[in-house]
Amino acid sequence: MNVFELITYLFSVLIYPGLTFLVVLGLLTQWYIRKLVGRMQNRIGPKYVGFMGIAQPFADIIKLMFVKKELSFRHGLRSFLVIFISLGMGALASAMLFTPISPYLIRAPYDVILFIYLMLWTTIALALIGLSLSNPFTIVGSSRFLTQVLFTEPAIVMSVLAAVIVLSKDSEIPFSIYSSLAKYSIGPMSTLVIALSLISYIIATIAKSMLKPFDIPEAETELAGGIFAELSGPALALTIVIHYTELAFLNLIAVLLFLGGPYPLSYGDPLGALIITTKYVILLTAITSIRASTGRIRIEQALTAILKYPLTLSTLSLIIAMLMHIKLIL
Amino acid sequence: MDVITASILASISMLITALIIYLIYLSVRSSGGSETGLEPYLCGESANDFKDGISVGGDNLFWGSTLATLRRLYEVLRDEVHTGVLNDWLTYMGIWFSIATIALFIATTASGG
């Protein structure tokens, strides 16, 4: 790796599309959700900081980081949870290097496994937040979160795998995320696989991001915030950032992998970014509409719903993708 | 690039980012100050009032997955599979091995082996 490559690598990891880009995108996503849910529920939503309150999430994070004190509790492992939040954020920034929007690209045969591994780190980090604090609310919140992701993670993994099997077919680098994202033209059976995977992925993303009706691990009125109950100051700021950064990341991957990214243009086209942004906002609006129009369900209802829909659909799409791969279905 | 190089590059980028975030957190926390040794938040209750402590029992933690959602699966396993009749057991194992063989066949064919 020469000096230019090293600078490009560090720029990709820390600025675009890595850490800085993801954090800004995550906080803008939070603003959009808060504003849209506010309007749908006949409220104003964020208003005072910036145009239409767009800078409100940034102001909240700055206040938590630099003004608010961090309270730490007896028997709590505060450094432990911050280390895992940092690793989770690092994993998301690292996973962005596999996408074609990154100036420095990581692409290798079967790198989809590595990509999925990096996607799982935020789940581990969020689960450990509650388990590292000695409070029944946070522990119950974490156990609910772990129970929920026990069913959502396989759906997300199978959806991504099915899409990559179909899209990286006949490419030079087999089962690579880059090859899958850079492909635009697919047949009718592949379209079916992508459609099934997309539906499964979106429902699983809502559940994984703890948005209504799957906000059971938080449950403000029941668990006093669940896994976030004991957090304050900089630790709470980092937790909010990783929570919304993960949602932004999952949404962006849905746009790039299942919705064709900048299609009908290509990644090199300057207008491609506009198309990706439009698809991102449309998908986020759909997720937010579900979040705003539903109430919280019970944990067993959530698990049954995840078993019935996303898990079944993703299993079906993976089976069809495998049969296409061994050429039993064309 | 090969898979090993990709794994190393991904791990390094993950660790660099994590280190930067952790250092930012440490610098902010040390300048902002913190209060330590507080009692956990229990909606106004005192932790000393609970005779058995404030930990949550293992049975309660995974109630949602072990009892509520998968109850039907457990009932089938208990009532249909574990009947104590040898023929039922052979049928069950026969079905299980058939599924495993089909899965193995698909997996080996898919990998080109």
Side-chain angles (χ1 to χ4, degrees):
Chain A
M1 190 184 278
N2 58 35
V3 178
F4 178 73
E5 280 182 343
L6 183 67
I7 292 169
T8 315
Y9 173 69
L10 289 175
F11 176 82
S12 303
V13 174
L14 299 176
I15 312 289
Y16 177 82
L19 182 64
T20 312
F21 171 75
L22 275 180
V23 170
V24 172
L25 185 67
L27 293 178
L28 288 176
T29 303
Q30 188 203 25
W31 168 80
Y32 186 76
I33 292 174
R34 283 170 65 181
K35 195 75 185 171
L36 198 60
V37 171
R39 299 311 300 161
M40 285 176 173
Q41 294 174 345
N42 213 14
R43 295 184 285 109
I44 293 173
K47 181 185 174 187
Y48 294 106
V49 190
F51 174 68
M52 289 176 74
I54 198 166
Q56 187 65 54
F58 298 90
D60 292 345
I61 295 300
I62 290 168
K63 183 184 74 178
L64 284 170
M65 288 288 275
F66 299 105
V67 181
K68 292 289 179 184
K69 273 186 179 177
E70 185 173 312
L71 310 178
S72 87
F73 297 86
R74 281 200 302 145
H75 316 302
L77 302 167
R78 189 177 53 180
S79 297
F80 177 77
L81 79 90
V82 175
I83 287 170
F84 272 90
I85 291 173
S86 308
L87 285 171
M89 287 292 297
L92 289 184
S94 181
M96 287 304 290
L97 301 191
F98 291 79
T99 60
I101 61 172
S102 170
Y104 187 89
L105 274 171
I106 294 180
R107 48 181 169 173
Y110 300 94
D111 66 9
V112 62
I113 304 297
L114 195 54
F115 184 77
I116 288 169
Y117 164 75
L118 293 170
M119 280 174 85
L120 295 178
W121 264 97
T122 44
T123 306
I124 298 167
L126 284 169
L128 286 175
I129 289 171
L131 296 178
S132 60
L133 297 164
S134 59
N135 185 311
F137 291 130
T138 61
I139 292 169
V140 170
S142 270
S143 82
R144 288 181 177 191
F145 181 69
L146 282 170
T147 308
Q148 204 161 281
V149 295
L150 193 71
F151 289 70
T152 54
E153 288 296 344
I156 289 181
V157 168
M158 284 195 288
S159 304
V160 172
L161 269 181
V164 168
I165 288 173
V166 165
L167 293 173
S168 68
K169 199 176 155 193
D170 305 327
S171 69
E172 285 178 17
I173 312 170
F175 301 104
S176 150
I177 288 287
Y178 175 80
S179 313
S180 313
L181 299 185
K183 187 165 183 176
Y184 301 117
S185 171
I186 53 172
M189 279 309 282
S190 303
T191 311
L192 175 71
V193 170
I194 297 295
L196 290 175
S197 301
L198 175 64
I199 296 167
S200 159
Y201 183 91
I202 293 299
I203 302 172
T205 297
I206 295 171
K208 193 181 172 185
S209 306
M210 293 180 277
L211 296 174
K212 279 187 174 64
F214 299 103
D215 63 330
I216 308 146
E218 285 184 50
E220 283 93 350
T221 50
E222 186 189 346
L223 289 182
I227 57 176
F228 306 122
E230 292 280 25
L231 296 170
S232 55
L236 178 60
L238 286 180
T239 310
I240 292 170
V241 167
I242 195 174
H243 187 206
Y244 282 96
T245 302
E246 185 196 28
L247 173 62
F249 171 83
L250 290 171
N251 204 28
L252 187 61
I253 292 302
V255 170
L256 299 180
L257 189 60
F258 302 108
L259 296 177
Y263 183 81
L265 302 176
S266 60
Y267 280 101
D269 200 304
L271 284 175
L274 191 67
I275 293 176
I276 291 176
T277 310
T278 310
K279 290 179 180 177
Y280 183 90
V281 172
I282 291 171
L283 203 56
L284 192 60
T285 307
I287 290 173
T288 311
S289 305
I290 296 170
R291 183 240 174 271
S293 56
T294 51
R296 186 169 65 247
I297 53 179
R298 288 171 61 84
I299 183 78
E300 72 271 21
Q301 292 171 327
L303 298 185
T304 311
I306 297 166
L307 265 176
K308 266 187 191 168
Y309 306 109
L311 214 52
T312 312
L313 289 178
S314 56
T315 310
L316 187 65
S317 68
L318 185 60
I319 289 170
I320 297 173
M322 285 176 70
L323 292 176
M324 285 175 70
H325 184 72
I326 59 173
K327 297 187 173 31
L328 279 179
I329 299 177
L330 293 174
Chain B
M1 67 179 67
D2 59 278
V3 184
I4 303 293
T5 314
S7 307
I8 292 169
L9 283 173
S11 306
I12 291 172
S13 55
M14 179 179 163
L15 291 175
I16 289 173
T17 316
L19 189 66
I20 287 171
I21 295 169
Y22 191 64
L23 290 176
I24 290 172
Y25 167 79
L26 283 184
S27 62
V28 168
R29 192 186 68 176
S30 59
S31 63
S34 63
E35 292 180 15
T36 53
L38 296 174
E39 288 294 326
Y41 170 71
L42 295 168
C43 296
E45 302 285 333
S46 168
N48 299 325
D49 295 344
F50 296 88
K51 201 174 69 178
D52 301 327
I54 54 167
S55 59
V56 186
D59 288 348
N60 300 325
L61 285 178
F62 296 99
W63 173 86
S65 59
T66 52
L67 280 179
T69 310
L70 300 177
R71 181 186 290 277
R72 178 93 185 99
L73 177 67
Y74 291 133
E75 283 175 359
V76 169
L77 281 174
R78 189 189 59 203
D79 301 335
E80 307 291 332
V81 179
H82 295 286
T83 55
V85 181
L86 189 61
N87 284 348
D88 288 351
W89 183 80
L90 283 174
T91 311
Y92 166 69
M93 291 308 285
I95 293 168
W96 176 241
F97 278 124
S98 307
I99 293 170
T101 311
I102 292 166
L104 191 65
F105 173 74
I106 293 173
T108 47
T109 318
S111 64

